[in-house]
Amino acid sequence: MLFNKILIANRGEIAVRIIRAARELGIKTVTIYTKEDASALHVILSDEAYKVSSYINMDEIMDVALKSKVDAIHPGYGFLAENPIFASKVVKEGIVFIGPEPEAMVLAGNKLESKKSAIKADVPVIPGPLEPISSVKEAEKIAEELGYPVLLKAVGGGGGIGMRIVRNREELHEYFRLAQQEAYKAFAIPDIYIEKYIDKPRHIEVQILADNYGNVIHLFERECSIQRRFQKLIEEAPSKALMWDERLEIANDAIRLAEKIGYTNVGTVEFLYKNGKHYFIEINARLQVEHGVTEMITGIDIVKAQMRIAADKPLNLGQGQISIKGWAIEVRINAEDPLRNFAPSSGKIIKYHEPGGFGVRVDSGVYEGYIIPQAFNPLISKLIVWGENRREAIERLRRALIEYIVEGVRTTIPLYKKIAEDADFIEGNIHTKYLDEKLPKFIGELSIEERKRIIAASLAFKIRKTKARKSISRIRYEEYKSSRNLNAWKLSTLCNNNVY
Amino acid sequence: MTRRIIAKCFDDEYSFTIEKQESNRFLILDEVLGKINAEVKYLDELRAEVVIDGKKYVVVIDEDKNIAYVNGVPTKITVLEFLETKATNYELISNNRRNNREETLGEIKAPLSGKIVSVKVSVGEKVSKGETLLIMESMKMLNEIKSPYDGEVKNIFVKDGDSVKKNQLLLKIEPKNTS
């Protein structure tokens, strides 16, 4: 057996995903939970669960690990997953950290150092200096050399934080300090660097497996071009953009970089792709949210592979044994309201039904009756479909979205139904600005349905025939309309009489 | 008899008229959707089935939370109902309108919900059009709120670190040359 017992320092769907892999390998699981998460699915499914004050409290988590006598800790993604201090603490206690070495996390966390490594490994990068920019003046000079538009990026970066597209000198002056502040707040490093901005690229990333014996293989690429504010919403594998020779070239670039830096465990090398050229952007030193699409087309369980590598086993397959079969698409089901600027929607899931059938996989962290807490990431589940080819995968996605019932909270499902019907998506004409461009159209269509729902709700409210109705009728519509600033007293009277 | 309905859902306001036809049929005139026929079947105190353009909407009302679940979609909603009258006091309306404008002129509101990172001005300070008044963070992005006109800062209602809702009043500016 690889391990006897592991601790999963995470929550939600990814904690459930890791429990499943562990259980299949005969490994016992320990999870942690905060006060908001006492009835979360990962707590129910794990063998043991302990309460902590937060998912990033390293001392408490280490206490749980020692108390429950685990052999290894899996950090999932987010929270402590890429924190080298945590990884070091774990190792110091003689516990295995299921992830890369702390040194690799430090390197991956520093975007400029990663970029330098890429250059050393002969991997193409985006034009721009390899040092942080100290002043607006210097930024101006470089931006002029590169030519506008340019992109400001945080050295400590990730997730779009501190990232700003700058189209001219005025914007540079405006955004430079803001980007520094943003970066400092998020990563405690204010350093900003500049790159040439690549307009409407595709986001392509390569999944890497690397054991402790110097063997590095790739599981081909994923395309994650459907994003909103640099946050991925839909991912697929493989990418429709790549010819076979390009596919192998990008994958080999990723392997070369991983080898150069001595990377171990699983990781992702991210690229931008445009007009037949690819450019390295960053290394993700963790299991990624979208790993499932790669599993679907290669048949390899990436979480199990992670555990095997962490248990010091050599890779049990070579590059030649890995091939692509079919096509997979994942949509991230977020408890967010697309109609209201993706505001988080928390509350109780009143009705819940997951789609099923051939080629449908749902990695979820919720169940019917579960109350979605406000405190965390809005991701409630990932719907992953597999098809013989991209066309069938999209048809299956549409079918599965129709079956997927989530009542009681608002989700991104209605938006995905629109995307799955969109001609450009179907044709594979996508890029990282696709959603920004299409969103107004999708929202317009969705808001017609919303209007009908509101009319239906208003009519239903007529059944609440209270005495108060009379007093409301007395306030004339014109009066209401003309005095938009009804004072607080008047307004509360109206509302109180109208508590439905 | 025609009634005007104003439904406030989250931050949006929807306005339409309804006219009762025979039995439980209604004719709705909506600003966007135009003429709509709706049929309402009241199931019980808290539930109704509404058929709009042939599509069925099941509405369940949750009184505690002021929420209607329409085919399971939670819809936070306040419904105001008015008698549509012909008599209109134009004088009064225009008065009120002007008052409104004076009240809202110079009010700087939050464009999105988020957190105030730093207030860049103080009360009494002269500001010019385009000058940054404060910086707020929403959805992990920092946004500068700029003055729409030249003027003087009258009131500041927020401080660094405050969480603010969309449309919340942040500060007031007295514009130069107010008419």
Side-chain angles (χ1 to χ4, degrees):
Chain A
M1 208 187 310
L2 299 173
F3 302 107
N4 180 41
K5 201 198 246 187
I6 63 166
L7 171 75
I8 298 160
N10 216 298
R11 68 177 301 278
E13 67 84 20
I14 196 63
V16 172
R17 167 74 189 88
I18 298 162
I19 291 169
R20 285 175 174 154
R23 191 159 277 155
E24 285 170 22
L25 291 169
I27 302 169
K28 288 200 182 67
T29 54
V30 178
T31 55
I32 51 173
Y33 64 95
T34 60
K35 61 178 192 305
E36 300 89 353
D37 260 351
S39 54
L41 190 58
H42 72 273
V43 176
I44 297 169
L45 291 181
S46 61
D47 296 305
E48 290 170 49
Y50 297 87
K51 193 169 175 179
V52 292
S53 66
S54 95
Y55 290 103
I56 54 169
N57 189 323
M58 298 187 217
D59 293 335
E60 278 182 34
I61 294 170
M62 287 313 297
D63 280 349
V64 172
L66 294 171
K67 190 164 63 181
S68 58
K69 299 191 170 62
V70 298
D71 316 307
I73 296 184
H74 195 308
Y77 54 69
F79 296 123
L80 297 171
E82 287 159 288
N83 187 325
I85 298 166
F86 180 66
S88 306
K89 273 186 194 242
V90 173
V91 175
K92 221 180 191 171
E93 293 293 345
I95 297 171
V96 174
F97 181 82
I98 304 175
E101 300 288 328
E103 295 75 33
M105 289 183 200
V106 173
L107 177 68
N110 187 317
K111 303 304 161 193
L112 269 180
E113 288 305 317
S114 313
K115 193 171 174 178
K116 287 179 195 165
S117 304
I119 293 171
K120 279 185 209 147
D122 204 18
V123 174
V125 298
I126 300 171
L130 297 174
E131 299 303 326
I133 309 300
S134 53
S135 68
V136 183
K137 221 172 161 191
E138 194 191 339
E140 219 178 272
K141 198 171 145 263
I142 291 160
E144 240 122 77
E145 280 169 24
L146 290 171
Y148 289 102
V150 295
L151 190 64
L152 299 181
K153 285 170 102 173
V155 172
I161 299 164
M163 223 186 268
R164 297 272 171 165
I165 301 161
V166 176
R167 299 192 182 276
N168 52 48
R169 198 168 156 268
E170 286 68 41
E171 283 188 1
L172 185 67
H173 278 256
E174 191 176 333
Y175 291 150
F176 188 73
R177 197 140 307 135
L178 275 183
Q180 276 186 330
Q181 282 179 26
E182 236 172 73
Y184 183 68
K185 271 196 71 188
F187 316 111
I189 310 169
D191 290 354
I192 294 292
Y193 66 107
I194 299 184
E195 281 182 345
K196 174 84 187 133
Y197 176 64
I198 297 172
D199 197 28
K200 300 183 189 174
R202 299 173 83 117
H203 176 112
I204 288 171
E205 57 185 36
V206 179
Q207 178 69 56
I208 292 294
L209 302 187
D211 66 17
N212 299 341
Y213 303 95
N215 304 309
V216 185
I217 58 170
H218 67 80
L219 302 185
F220 295 99
E221 82 281 2
R222 293 185 284 263
E223 173 160 5
C224 320
S225 296
I226 314 282
Q227 308 180 353
R228 180 179 168 271
R229 296 181 174 225
F230 303 106
Q231 307 280 345
K232 298 162 188 168
L233 289 178
I234 300 181
E235 301 98 346
E236 60 184 288
S239 165
K240 192 168 185 277
L242 302 184
M243 298 294 183
W244 261 101
D245 54 335
E246 292 176 302
R247 169 167 296 124
L248 294 177
E249 196 188 329
I250 293 182
N252 287 329
D253 276 357
I255 285 190
R256 238 183 9 263
L257 176 55
E259 283 172 345
K260 189 89 192 167
I261 63 174
Y263 192 88
T264 55
N265 208 268
V266 317
T268 302
V269 184
E270 297 192 330
F271 297 91
L272 296 182
Y273 175 91
K274 194 175 178 187
N275 299 335
K277 283 191 184 144
H278 62 281
Y279 310 87
F280 164 81
I281 47 172
E282 60 182 64
I283 303 163
N284 284 313
R286 60 161 191 277
L287 175 70
Q288 281 191 296
V289 176
E290 61 271 25
H291 70 278
V293 287
T294 299
E295 295 181 325
M296 298 300 273
I297 61 158
T298 58
I300 293 165
D301 187 319
I302 294 173
V303 180
K304 282 186 190 169
Q306 255 191 314
M307 292 179 189
R308 238 178 250 123
I309 293 166
D312 221 18
K313 300 268 188 276
L315 286 175
N316 55 1
L317 27 73
Q319 192 65 59
Q321 289 162 273
I322 294 154
S323 59
I324 298 177
K325 189 170 194 302
W327 210 282
I329 302 176
E330 167 181 286
V331 296
R332 299 190 188 188
I333 314 291
N334 289 339
E336 291 178 328
D337 185 357
L339 283 170
R340 289 176 185 79
N341 205 17
F342 294 80
S345 176
S346 50
K348 187 174 181 173
I349 298 180
I350 293 169
K351 229 182 215 178
Y352 187 73
H353 174 79
E354 285 176 358
F358 183 42
V360 175
R361 162 178 171 184
V362 181
D363 277 22
S364 143
V366 301
Y367 52 87
E368 188 165 301
Y370 175 68
I371 297 165
I372 298 175
Q374 262 170 341
F376 305 106
N377 179 325
L379 182 70
I380 58 173
S381 81
K382 301 178 307 201
L383 167 62
I384 306 162
V385 294
W386 178 89
E388 258 186 280
N389 49 44
R390 194 168 184 272
R391 171 159 288 276
E392 193 191 38
I394 292 174
E395 286 161 1
R396 190 161 281 154
L397 175 65
R398 277 190 225 131
R399 184 271 284 175
L401 285 168
I402 290 170
E403 282 177 30
Y404 209 149
I405 297 169
V406 183
E407 294 189 359
V409 292
R410 286 174 177 246
T411 72
T412 43
I413 291 174
L415 174 66
Y416 297 145
K417 286 180 180 166
K418 293 288 171 200
I419 295 173
E421 298 284 349
D422 180 64
D424 282 323
F425 176 73
I426 293 166
E427 285 303 311
N429 296 328
I430 51 175
H431 51 75
T432 56
K433 292 281 168 248
Y434 162 90
L435 200 55
D436 285 349
E437 289 177 2
K438 297 273 179 168
L439 206 53
K441 177 178 160 258
F442 296 145
I443 297 297
E445 289 166 20
L446 292 173
S447 56
I448 289 195
E449 195 51 27
E450 175 84 345
R451 262 199 116 80
K452 289 184 184 169
R453 276 197 297 268
I454 285 173
I455 290 170
S458 303
L459 287 170
F461 274 126
K462 288 178 68 68
I463 57 179
R464 310 292 303 151
K465 281 180 186 157
T466 60
K467 284 177 198 158
R469 272 270 291 285
K470 265 185 202 158
S471 67
I472 295 162
S473 311
R474 241 181 269 138
I475 302 168
R476 288 207 315 266
Y477 171 60
E478 288 79 5
E479 285 173 25
Y480 168 76
K481 255 324 210 200
S482 63
S483 58
R484 273 169 51 214
N485 54 340
L486 279 175
N487 66 43
W489 179 81
K490 255 185 176 168
L491 200 63
S492 71
T493 323
L494 271 176
C495 292
N496 283 339
N497 287 343
N498 245 324
V499 174
Y500 296 110
Chain B
M1 188 169 53
T2 307
R3 287 170 188 276
R4 163 72 54 178
I5 301 283
I6 309 252
K8 289 178 176 178
C9 176
F10 299 95
D11 286 331
D12 308 319
E13 208 175 89
Y14 297 79
S15 170
F16 53 91
T17 64
I18 56 174
E19 197 181 316
K20 196 169 178 1
Q21 317 282 89
E22 80 280 16
S23 68
N24 50 1
R25 290 214 178 103
F26 297 88
L27 180 69
I28 290 153
L29 209 64
D30 179 75
E31 290 167 355
V32 176
L33 303 172
K35 255 188 205 170
I36 295 174
N37 288 298
E39 199 174 335
V40 186
K41 202 161 114 197
Y42 300 122
L43 301 174
D44 56 40
E45 275 264 285
L46 296 172
R47 290 183 310 143
E49 252 180 45
V50 183
V51 178
I52 294 175
D53 289 343
K55 193 180 166 186
K56 191 159 86 179
Y57 295 84
V58 177
V59 184
V60 180
I61 295 168
D62 185 335
E63 283 188 291
D64 296 340
K65 290 185 234 142
N66 219 21
I67 285 177
Y69 293 95
V70 188
N71 289 350
V73 181
T75 309
K76 206 172 175 67
I77 190 169
T78 308
V79 183
L80 305 177
E81 194 178 337
F82 305 91
L83 279 175
E84 192 93 313
T85 52
K86 280 183 188 134
T88 307
N89 191 336
Y90 290 106
E91 192 90 4
L92 184 68
I93 289 170
S94 60
N95 255 340
N96 279 350
R97 286 231 171 104
R98 209 174 60 219
N99 287 340
N100 275 344
R101 200 174 312 144
E102 273 167 16
E103 283 247 355
T104 51
L105 186 66
E107 287 184 354
I108 311 294
K109 292 179 175 172
L112 288 165
S113 54
K115 207 167 140 190
I116 304 297
V117 175
S118 93
V119 180
K120 295 285 183 198
V121 292
S122 45
V123 174
E125 199 175 319
K126 297 260 190 297
V127 292
S128 42
K129 188 175 172 179
E131 191 175 330
T132 303
L133 300 170
L134 46 83
I135 295 175
M136 65 177 287
E137 179 188 292
S138 55
M139 333 279 295
K140 289 194 259 179
M141 298 277 280
L142 293 180
N143 295 291
E144 290 182 303
I145 311 291
K146 294 176 174 173
S147 178
Y149 17 64
D150 296 337
E152 187 185 322
V153 180
K154 275 288 167 204
N155 303 83
I156 298 174
F157 303 102
V158 290
K159 58 180 188 312
D160 296 2
D162 280 2
S163 292
V164 295
K165 290 206 172 101
K166 185 180 172 182
N167 287 331
Q168 185 175 330
L169 186 58
L170 303 174
L171 41 83
K172 250 183 192 172
I173 289 176
E174 185 172 275
K176 243 189 330 201
N177 311 322
T178 313
S179 55

